[in-house]
Amino acid sequence: MVVQSWRHRWQNRGGKAAPARPERAREQRHNPVSLLVWLAGWAAALILVAGTALTYARADMSNAAVHAVMDAGRWLATPFSEVFSYRDRSRQLYANWLLAAAVYWIIGRMLSWLIRR
């Protein structure tokens, strides 16, 4: 019989519990390079989301921290600056920067996974 029933498999092991699966944590641990790529993707996404939140809150651009986050966000979102075009500049910034954040996060995860393998 090609397909064995669960009872047959249970009896062939002498009534013992099924062997534990290999530890997935060991398979999925980051090496230093994949961890760096993963963190870079997260950092880029967080900067872009923070810039979007600061724009939504109408933060004071003369503040040094706000200015630094917005400059870094503008630089990161440069490839995505004209994906969506709206008359309202804030709405355009939200759409393009959140798209850029998602792309950076996904690319960071994918590259990290590929490097880990």
Side-chain angles (χ1 to χ4, degrees):
M1 194 164 152
V2 175
V3 178
Q4 296 178 343
S5 69
W6 66 273
R7 285 187 191 155
H8 184 69
R9 282 186 260 151
W10 177 265
Q11 290 168 351
N12 284 346
R13 281 195 296 268
K16 296 180 184 174
R21 290 185 173 185
E23 288 185 35
R24 293 189 61 99
R26 193 176 304 156
E27 294 175 14
Q28 294 181 355
R29 288 173 59 185
H30 291 279
N31 61 32
V33 177
S34 72
L35 181 63
L36 186 64
V37 169
W38 181 72
L39 288 174
W42 266 106
L46 287 176
I47 288 170
L48 289 163
V49 169
T52 303
L54 290 171
T55 302
Y56 182 75
R58 301 202 192 293
D60 183 17
M61 290 298 289
S62 64
N63 185 337
V66 173
H67 188 68
V69 169
M70 294 302 289
D71 278 346
R74 265 191 291 277
W75 183 77
L76 288 169
T78 301
F80 303 92
S81 64
E82 298 297 325
V83 174
F84 296 107
S85 297
Y86 297 112
R87 290 184 181 167
D88 182 15
R89 297 293 293 168
S90 294
R91 186 175 176 194
Q92 182 174 346
L93 183 134
Y94 302 148
N96 291 331
W97 284 32
L98 291 177
L99 173 68
V103 168
Y104 281 120
W105 184 78
I106 290 169
I107 288 175
R109 291 276 302 183
M110 287 174 41
L111 288 177
S112 172
W113 178 76
L114 288 172
I115 292 169
R116 235 183 343 209
R117 295 280 164 198

